[in-house]
Amino acid sequence: MTDQLPPKSRHGSEKRQRNKITPIRWASDEFNAVAAKADKAGLTFGAFIRAIGLGDAGPRARRNRPVNDRILVKAMGLHVKYGNNLNQIAYKLNANAQDALASDFEGALREWAQIRDLMFEAFEMEPSSDTPEGHG
């Protein structure tokens, strides 16, 4: 028996059209500035550099969705707040105060719709038209 593992086989092929690698040295502030611009443009770092140099990122360039951190922080805060409200409603229902069910639960569903809308806004997407009735 041997303690050595067999060599790993390579995954994929190396028949790439882009076969030249160019290492570039960056100062931290330079790299961060370019990375921020790439993120704002919705492109990966390499695709952004290619777009600047060639005028086009290429047909297979990976696109990233820009994220608005301010909106996501607000959505997370609402998620916690409304989750707490739903827990309180569930507690009331379990304590047999079922008259609170209809209005409290419908209000909670409307609040959760606000979170959904913020998430769509943060990811710069449009909600689908198949939202169930009464839920937004």
Side-chain angles (χ1 to χ4, degrees), residues 13 36 70 108 118:
S13 70
R70 180 185 54 78
L118 280 173

Side-chain angles (χ1 to χ4, degrees), residues 6 9 23 30 43 74 97-98 104 120 125-127:
S9 65
E30 293 172 333
L43 295 170
K74 184 176 179 182
Q98 295 194 8
D104 286 350
F120 277 115
M125 298 171 67
E126 292 293 324

Side-chain angles (χ1 to χ4, degrees), residues 1-2 14-15 25 33 51 57 60 63 72 91-92 104 108-109 126 129 136:
M1 295 190 111
T2 178
E14 280 299 323
K15 296 180 181 178
R25 292 188 184 266
R60 294 180 19 166
R63 309 258 191 263
L72 288 177
Y91 176 80
K92 287 179 184 179
D104 286 350
L109 288 177
E126 292 293 324
S129 60

Side-chain angles (χ1 to χ4, degrees), residues 3-31:
D3 290 339
Q4 294 180 346
L5 297 173
K8 291 184 179 180
S9 65
R10 291 190 182 257
H11 294 283
S13 70
E14 280 299 323
K15 296 180 181 178
R16 300 172 186 250
Q17 290 179 343
R18 295 185 177 127
N19 57 7
K20 303 293 183 194
I21 299 172
T22 56
I24 301 171
R25 292 188 184 266
W26 300 88
S28 291
D29 59 335
E30 293 172 333
F31 180 85

Side-chain angles (χ1 to χ4, degrees), residues 8-99:
K8 291 184 179 180
S9 65
R10 291 190 182 257
H11 294 283
S13 70
E14 280 299 323
K15 296 180 181 178
R16 300 172 186 250
Q17 290 179 343
R18 295 185 177 127
N19 57 7
K20 303 293 183 194
I21 299 172
T22 56
I24 301 171
R25 292 188 184 266
W26 300 88
S28 291
D29 59 335
E30 293 172 333
F31 180 85
N32 291 337
V34 174
K37 287 182 179 183
D39 188 50
K40 187 173 183 175
L43 295 170
T44 61
F45 191 87
F48 182 74
I49 296 299
R50 197 173 298 110
I52 290 173
L54 299 173
D56 182 19
R60 294 180 19 166
R62 286 194 1 222
R63 309 258 191 263
N64 293 329
R65 291 190 183 278
V67 176
N68 187 325
D69 293 337
R70 180 185 54 78
I71 294 173
L72 288 177
V73 168
K74 184 176 179 182
M76 290 297 291
L78 290 174
H79 178 73
V80 171
K81 176 184 172 186
Y82 300 152
N84 184 42
N85 290 348
L86 289 176
N87 281 333
Q88 290 175 10
I89 293 168
Y91 176 80
K92 287 179 184 179
L93 291 173
N94 287 332
N96 294 323
Q98 295 194 8
D99 57 336

